[in-house]
Amino acid sequence: MSARPNEYGQPVGHPLPGWTARPAPARVTLEGRFCRVEPLDADRHADDLYAAYALAADGADWTYMTSGPFDGPADYRAHVTAETRADDPLQYAVVDPRTGRAVGTLALMRQDPSNGVVEVGSVTFSPLLKRTPLSTEAQFLLMSYAFDELGYRRYEWKCDSLNEPSRRAALRLGFTFEGIFRQAVVYKGRSRDTAWYSVVDTEWPQVGGALRQWLSPENFDGEGRQKRSLSAVRA
């Protein structure tokens, strides 16, 4: 962080004279080219999501989640119903517009409007969503909402330090690794060291620009395959 001296010669952060608390995230619908992100709703989404998650070969996708796996559709619907009662985490469904069905969820959580900080978390992507343009666009839509519409200064990503797929995803999307918080969480009867990542507002033009370029129609061939990877676009 850049600094300047105060009247005592001590280094302090640069002032933010026009800063005001930002709005809290809302239950908005965000439309993209590949997907739609909309407020999670048990009646609209629970059955589709359970069916999408059931396509996985086993329960490994739930290892690093605080909940799941679930015993059946009713159990999962009860979970979604409870989740949607909260404003923080504020849960969103990712909908494939080609089918109209929800294929994953993610949330804006640990909301700190006073300081302009928010975390994306509870990222639960089904086999229908993983490693597709929809998954990247869903992340981009929420990031753009936080930075471009709400005016947040910091957007966080946290995960179990042993969750290598999540850590790779954070770096791919343009997050910066900040370190490990040791023994930060107890979940599912075990200890978790938490890896922290972030994007800040001064980085967002470059990070967001790379995501927009990767998601553009010109980056995909007639079969829907990427022409350049996101890392290549960023480079």
Side-chain angles (χ1 to χ4, degrees):
M1 181 181 71
S2 60
R4 65 181 183 90
N6 66 6
E7 64 269 33
Y8 310 111
Q10 298 166 304
V12 296
H14 279 271
L16 298 172
W19 175 257
T20 59
R22 311 317 300 154
R27 287 178 166 79
V28 296
T29 296
L30 307 171
E31 296 280 356
R33 191 167 72 91
F34 295 102
C35 75
R36 182 172 69 252
V37 174
E38 63 186 33
L40 181 63
D41 180 89
D43 290 336
R44 292 204 309 272
H45 303 130
D47 291 343
D48 289 343
L49 286 167
Y50 184 82
Y53 296 141
L55 296 173
D58 53 36
D61 288 343
W62 300 99
T63 296
Y64 299 112
M65 305 299 296
T66 58
S67 59
F70 299 92
D71 293 333
D75 187 27
Y76 179 70
R77 177 180 281 268
H79 166 74
V80 172
T81 299
E83 289 283 286
T84 55
R85 294 192 184 111
D87 292 326
D88 187 358
L90 184 55
Q91 299 280 350
Y92 299 88
V94 182
V95 176
D96 185 342
R98 296 170 300 180
T99 64
R101 294 182 177 180
V103 290
T105 66
L106 69 176
L108 291 177
M109 58 194 293
R110 296 172 64 96
Q111 302 163 18
D112 184 359
S114 295
N115 293 298
V117 180
V118 70
E119 175 186 342
V120 61
S122 297
V123 179
T124 315
F125 286 179
S126 76
L128 297 175
L129 184 52
K130 290 180 179 181
R131 293 178 292 277
T132 70
L134 287 77
S135 66
T136 300
E137 187 176 60
Q139 295 284 1
F140 167 74
L141 288 172
L142 273 192
M143 294 171 81
S144 179
Y145 174 58
F147 284 118
D148 299 329
E149 295 191 38
L150 299 182
Y152 275 58
R153 303 179 62 238
R154 175 179 168 88
Y155 192 83
E156 298 178 336
W157 178 298
K158 304 185 187 80
C159 63
D160 192 310
S161 65
L162 300 176
N163 187 350
E164 287 298 332
S166 181
R167 298 187 66 171
R168 288 195 301 270
L171 293 175
R172 174 183 175 271
L173 290 167
F175 286 78
T176 296
F177 175 60
E178 295 184 327
I180 302 293
F181 279 40
R182 299 178 299 162
Q183 297 186 185
V185 175
V186 176
Y187 75 132
K188 293 185 172 177
R190 61 181 188 261
S191 180
R192 180 179 111 168
D193 293 351
T194 297
W196 283 54
Y197 299 80
S198 73
V199 176
V200 297
D201 55 357
T202 55
E203 299 165 339
W204 173 241
Q206 182 177 3
V207 171
L211 287 164
R212 288 186 185 92
Q213 189 174 348
W214 186 85
L215 289 163
S216 68
E218 293 77 15
N219 193 44
F220 294 88
D221 63 20
E223 302 298 321
R225 295 184 294 259
Q226 67 175 3
K227 296 178 181 178
R228 290 202 297 165
S229 68
L230 183 51
S231 60
V233 170
R234 186 173 296 113

